[in-house]
Structures are given as C-alpha cells and as structure tokens.
Amino acid sequence: MEKEFVCIVCPNGCRIKVDDSGKISGYTCIRGLNYVKQELVDPRRGLTSTFKVVHGRNLVCPCRSNVSVPKDKMIDIIKEIDKLNVEAPIQIHQVVIKNVLNLGVDIIATKEIEKDE
Amino acid sequence: MINKDLVIVGGGSAGLAAAISAYDSGVKDILLIEKNSELGGILNQCIHNGFGLQKFKEELTGPEYASRYIKEFKERKIESFLETLVLGINDKLEVRIINSKVGVETIKAKAIIMAMGCNERTRGQISIPGDRPRGVFTAGLAQKYLNIDGYLVGKNVYILGSGDIGLIMARRMTLEGANVIGVSELMPYSNGLTRNIVQCLNDFNIPLKLHNTVTKIIGKDKLEAIEISDVDDNLRPIKGTEQIIKCDALLLSVGLYPFNSLLVNAKAKSYSKTKGAFVDQNLETSIKGVFSCGNVLHVHDLVDFVSLEGEIAGKNAAKLILNGRKSVKNIINVIEGENVNYVLPNVINVTDGLDKVEFSFRVKMPIKRGEIRILDGTNIIKKIRANDLLPSEMKRISLTNFDFNNVKQIKVEVRVN
C-alpha cells in the first residue's frame, strides 16, 4: 500500500509518497527525502521544553534537544527536564542535561538568563 | 520633549529588524520602545522550533531566533526604553510615552516605525454562549503561563480553533502531562500549517474535528464542561449533534488581528481585509513618515517574513530621513482579484527609479493547483504556477523590471487550474 507523509522539516509541508517497492516521490529537497527515510525506520522529533531556574531574571528557561530524539521517548525526556533546577546565570546553548537517558542526546538552554541582582 | 531621528514602537521581531536595518542604512539616532521588560516580543514564549528556515537556513526555536536579533541590536548600541508604553502618536510625528523613569514624555521624530504585533481574538469576539467560569484562555495566554511563568492552566484540555498556536499548545501541554481531548475547527479545513497538524496532533493521536465548534460553556466558578456541535455549510450549529465534553481548560486559537489601535487613533487609513494599516510599497502609512511592518500590518505565519518586512520598513524610513521625499510620478491602486483574500501594498507611489515591488497575499480557500497572476487592468503582467496554496500560508510575489509609469491599477489573483 502506498504511504503518504507530510514533511515536517519546513513549513512548506511537502506531501511525500512511498510506494510498495519503497520508491519515494514528491519531495522537493534532500531534507524531505531524508525525513521520510528516517520516518520509515525510526521516527524522530526535535524536542523543546522549559526547566526551572534558580536566582534568575526569568522563572523558567526554554531548552531543546541538540539533535532529534526518538518519538516514543519524548515524554520520558520531558520528565527528566522537569526535575531540573538550574542556577542563573545561564548561557545560550549551555548543556543542562548531558546524554539524557543514555540516548546520546544533550538538552541545551535556548536562551540567556541573567542572574537576578 | 526629546528629539530622535527614528522612533520604533515594539521590540519584537519586526521592531528589532527595523532598528538594525535603519541603523545599517545610516540612521544612528534611533529609539526603540518596548512595553515588556525584555526584547524579543512573542518569540520569547514560542519555545518550539521551526523558526528561521527562510532567513538563516536552519531551524531555530523562538528564543534562539530572537537572540540573534537582540545580539545584533545590542552590538550597534541602539537605544531602547523597556517597560515603556506608547500612549499615542500623531501626524506631527510626535510619540507620547509613559514609563516609571521619565513619567510622561513626548518624543519628536523624523520618522516612526510601528511594530506592535498582533492580538488574539477572545471569547467575546466569537460570542460563545454559556456561563462565564475561569478556565477559558486564549492559546497564546496559556502559552505565556506555561513557557514564561511555568505553570499549566489545566489537566483536561479542549482546544477551539486549529490555528498554529492552538496546535503547538496541544503538543506542549500533552508533553507536560495534560490530557488534550481534542481540537474543533469551524471551517472544513485546518487553519494551521500542515506540519503542525502532523507533529502536534497526529503524533499524539489528538482528534481534529472539522466543521465543528464549541456551542456552550458550562461551569459555575470553574470550567466544568463544554458542549460542541457540528456545523452546516453556513457554519451554523446542527441541532442533534451536540456532545458534552468534560474539561477544566478551554483554549481558544481562533485568529489574530493587528494590534493597530495607535494608528487607528491617529486617524491613519486602515485596510478592512487585514485590520492593519493601508500602506504603499515602502510600507509607509497614510500618515506621512509613519511606517508599519510585521504583525501589526498583517498577521504573518512565519517570523522570517516579519523580520523581512521590518528590514524593508527600516531601510525605507532611513531613506526618507537621510534623502527626503522623492516626488511621486504616478499612483497605482493595488486590488485583490479572484480567490485572493487580501494583497499588500495597497498602493504604489511611483517615484524615479522604482523597478521592483513585492506583493504579499493570502488566498481565500485551499487551492490544490493554481496560477498566481498579476494583472494591469485586464492584461497579465506576470503569472506563475503554484500548488497547495492555503489561506493559512502567506505568499509573496515580486514584480521586477516593470515600467510602473503608465499603469493605474494592479490586480493580484489566483486562478484555479
């Protein structure tokens, strides 16, 4: 059976088809092709969330995974992020969890948070 | 009274881009006014990724996208007033501000750029009947509570409207442990980007009900339940399709509109289709010297285009300040044609050397295969094929190497093939 994917790499949302023989068509860039190849064997997603900040100008700091994570591990990773309490100042792209759940993925801050004077 | 060459109202993506571009075009005496305590605007609460693909060719989160502009802004040492409100502007290019340091003050400018962003439509604006309990939020407000202040507004959540913020919040709240029961969309198609339907709803098996809406809100003090109903082709609820859903939070993602009240109060001409200002190709409003860009001009779906518009406004405001006004040789009215909901700019003020105009537009309905056409009266000046056009996705088309001198009207239309 032919499968259709909507590419989520960029907002263009290309509709990419995979036929019975595994032939992939309908992508308009290499990233779309790679997305579908990955999606067929091991679906992954970029993960973003927030963690608690101590003594900062902001109460929470946004963060993301440095590379995409297995789709079925997203909620487990979020639970790890929710345990954090990170002391300000925080630099943008500072690693806040190294190798989360041994998945080979780091969680990094996506904003600079100054110390609250 | 303070004198400044350029005053920019709003320190979000449009305002920051405008400030940087005006500075780089030669205007150094700039003041940017921001109501919040930090720069970056709404990007600060948009912690998800997907920003910057057009502009930086990489996928950034909102705060990362903002930080690039904030860094550029700070490197140029452009002056800003934070925690400052603008009370009004006028056609003498005076900006009345208020903050806790200077009190009420007037700033006299040579040009003003409006970059205040947009507002969310609320329950009142779409008239949902029923009780008035707490627990009903606009999706962006719930997003602020979660991503800036750190708390969830509910455990069992229903979302009305398939706008992007609603979809993003469906995923975000699910990941944080809430049960997102479903999303209702009044129209027969989704209003969000397709990729967001896939990665925010389908990934988590959250049902999307098209042609469906909330018809009653139930709850004495706190939201207890909602009633949803299917709607007919005239978007009226169909009797007998009512369904009661227990929930403690209802998020509304039912559209955005330009936060344009400062310009309206200053008697600037507005455009009924966008609810933003009526502008020429330089993004100058009907008040000479006042420019408008970003979501306060028309609501965008991609921040990259907001930044781009900010840059255009900044560059043109700088040109006006440094070189003065060029004489207008011809005025072209721009109108929306078949299948086009709106098109900007509204007017082209033709001056010497004008050889390129970029149009932004949205289609009225989803178009699978179409052709975008620019017409001068009845003649086709330019046409390009375009597939999968959606009302939720703004398109841009430019007209280059064209003689703008002998045309009175330009129409942008989309033909369905």
Side-chain angles (χ1 to χ4, degrees):
Chain A
M1 212 184 74
E2 192 179 74
K3 271 184 153 176
E4 193 184 69
F5 292 87
V6 175
C7 180
I8 60 169
V9 176
C10 90
N12 289 340
C14 292
R15 279 153 222 273
I16 304 176
K17 291 192 169 100
V18 185
D19 69 12
D20 291 339
S21 66
K23 190 173 161 277
I24 302 174
S25 61
Y27 56 90
T28 53
C29 75
I30 185 76
R31 300 185 328 150
L33 176 65
N34 290 337
Y35 166 73
V36 170
K37 280 184 180 167
Q38 182 72 42
E39 197 70 6
L40 286 165
V41 291
D42 168 29
R44 285 177 170 259
R45 297 288 181 265
L47 183 72
T48 63
S49 188
T50 54
F51 59 84
K52 290 194 282 295
V53 176
V54 187
H55 303 133
R57 283 261 186 100
N58 304 63
L59 299 166
V60 297
C61 177
C63 60
R64 65 171 167 88
S65 55
N66 64 336
V67 291
S68 55
V69 306
K71 205 168 104 174
D72 58 4
K73 290 280 186 283
M74 291 170 84
I75 289 187
D76 294 336
I77 299 172
I78 293 274
K79 282 180 183 155
E80 293 302 306
I81 295 171
D82 284 346
K83 291 178 191 162
L84 288 172
N85 261 311
V86 182
E87 182 82 28
I90 296 164
Q91 300 304 314
I92 189 166
H93 297 160
Q94 177 180 327
V95 176
V96 290
I97 308 179
K98 184 94 191 141
N99 190 18
V100 63
L101 300 172
N102 288 317
L103 290 164
V105 175
D106 295 340
I107 302 300
I108 59 174
T110 51
K111 185 176 171 161
E112 182 187 327
I113 306 281
E114 290 173 28
K115 207 173 170 62
D116 191 24
E117 303 297 349
Chain B
M1 178 97 87
I2 305 170
N3 283 294
K4 287 281 162 197
D5 280 352
L6 176 62
V7 172
I8 296 169
V9 185
S13 31
L16 288 169
I20 293 162
S21 121
Y23 187 93
D24 292 349
S25 302
V27 174
K28 310 294 177 193
D29 186 26
I30 303 172
L31 174 63
L32 181 143
I33 297 162
E34 166 58 44
K35 72 175 172 196
N36 226 313
S37 56
E38 59 183 1
L39 296 171
I42 211 71
L43 284 166
N44 287 319
Q45 71 182 60
C46 298
I47 62 156
H48 53 281
N49 50 17
F51 301 92
L53 280 157
Q54 307 267 348
K55 178 80 194 164
F56 298 113
K57 308 289 171 219
E58 58 182 304
E59 193 168 34
L60 304 170
T61 63
E64 288 171 305
Y65 187 99
S67 75
R68 296 204 176 186
Y69 279 90
I70 294 168
K71 184 167 172 273
E72 297 269 318
F73 180 85
K74 287 186 172 163
E75 276 170 5
R76 286 164 179 74
K77 300 195 162 52
I78 301 169
E79 191 183 357
S80 61
F81 282 0
L82 299 177
E83 296 177 313
T84 302
L85 276 179
V86 172
L87 301 170
I89 65 157
N90 62 25
D91 55 8
K92 295 189 217 67
L93 303 182
E94 290 166 346
V95 183
R96 297 266 292 164
I97 62 158
I98 183 167
N99 68 25
S100 60
K101 291 200 187 80
V102 301
V104 177
E105 180 61 271
T106 301
I107 304 157
K108 173 90 174 115
K110 291 176 183 162
I112 304 170
I113 296 176
M114 310 302 269
M116 298 87 79
C118 56
N119 276 345
E120 291 181 282
R121 291 174 77 205
T122 60
R123 177 184 172 183
Q125 282 157 309
I126 56 165
S127 309
I128 308 175
D131 304 328
R132 302 178 66 88
R134 64 178 191 273
V136 181
F137 304 88
T138 56
L141 183 62
Q143 186 182 48
K144 179 193 177 280
Y145 285 149
L146 182 52
N147 294 345
I148 304 283
D149 302 329
Y151 57 92
L152 272 172
V153 297
K155 286 282 160 65
N156 290 294
V157 186
Y158 201 82
I159 298 173
L160 174 61
S162 61
D164 286 310
I165 313 169
L167 300 178
I168 299 275
M169 281 307 288
R171 171 179 62 183
R172 178 83 179 107
M173 293 184 84
T174 304
L175 286 172
E176 288 295 346
N179 168 32
V180 178
I181 303 159
V183 179
S184 283
E185 168 59 51
L186 183 68
M187 302 306 284
Y189 51 83
S190 158
N191 267 314
L193 297 172
T194 326
R195 68 193 305 239
N196 286 336
I197 303 283
V198 175
Q199 60 185 349
C200 299
L201 299 186
N202 300 358
D203 269 5
F204 302 100
N205 301 314
I206 299 168
L208 170 63
K209 288 177 193 286
L210 297 174
H211 248 166
N212 185 283
T213 193
V214 175
T215 41
K216 199 192 266 180
I217 288 173
I218 303 157
K220 218 174 155 63
D221 299 316
K222 202 172 173 311
L223 181 66
E224 289 160 21
I226 54 165
E227 178 197 87
I228 59 170
S229 306
D230 291 341
V231 298
D232 62 21
D233 289 341
N234 297 318
L235 308 180
R236 286 197 199 96
I238 302 170
K239 275 227 152 42
T241 62
E242 298 89 352
Q243 194 186 335
I244 301 289
I245 291 173
K246 286 196 167 160
C247 58
D248 58 6
L250 173 66
L251 306 193
L252 305 177
S253 178
V254 292
L256 304 165
Y257 61 96
F259 183 32
N260 197 37
S261 49
L262 284 174
L263 273 171
V264 171
N265 291 345
K267 306 265 190 295
K269 198 171 167 186
S270 27
Y271 179 25
S272 61
K273 294 289 174 68
T274 56
K275 311 272 186 273
F278 182 98
V279 291
D280 71 5
Q281 78 279 13
N282 298 323
L283 305 182
E284 191 170 6
T285 67
S286 64
I287 303 178
K288 293 295 156 206
V290 178
F291 296 77
S292 176
C293 59
N295 283 343
V296 76
L297 179 58
H298 59 131
V299 176
H300 293 63
D301 31 273
L302 297 182
V303 69
D304 309 65
F305 289 130
V306 171
S307 300
L308 181 68
E309 243 179 45
E311 281 168 31
I312 294 168
K315 200 176 78 191
N316 289 322
K319 266 191 201 164
L320 180 68
I321 293 165
L322 298 171
N323 309 332
R325 190 174 295 282
K326 279 190 185 176
S327 65
V328 175
K329 299 282 164 67
N330 183 27
I331 296 173
I332 305 171
N333 288 310
V334 180
I335 58 166
E336 60 273 4
E338 200 181 334
N339 295 323
V340 169
N341 186 16
Y342 73 79
V343 57
L344 286 173
N346 305 91
V347 67
I348 301 169
N349 289 316
V350 183
T351 52
D352 279 341
L354 178 74
D355 62 351
K356 183 183 176 187
V357 171
E358 266 197 298
F359 301 92
S360 301
F361 70 94
R362 277 176 199 272
V363 290
K364 276 185 182 160
M365 54 178 192
I367 294 173
K368 189 89 185 149
R369 282 174 207 285
E371 188 175 75
I372 305 166
R373 293 175 172 181
I374 304 178
L375 297 97
D376 126 33
T378 49
N379 305 316
I380 298 172
I381 311 169
K382 182 174 181 173
K383 55 179 182 180
I384 52 166
R385 273 218 298 263
N387 293 339
D388 296 316
L389 296 168
L390 293 170
S392 55
E393 295 179 10
M394 187 194 79
K395 289 282 167 192
R396 288 173 70 87
I397 181 169
S398 62
L399 193 55
T400 40
N401 300 320
F402 177 74
D403 181 6
F404 290 95
N405 284 304
N406 302 314
V407 187
K408 280 289 152 206
Q409 188 190 76
I410 283 180
K411 185 160 80 176
V412 177
E413 66 173 30
V414 179
R415 283 296 178 94
V416 180
N417 285 346

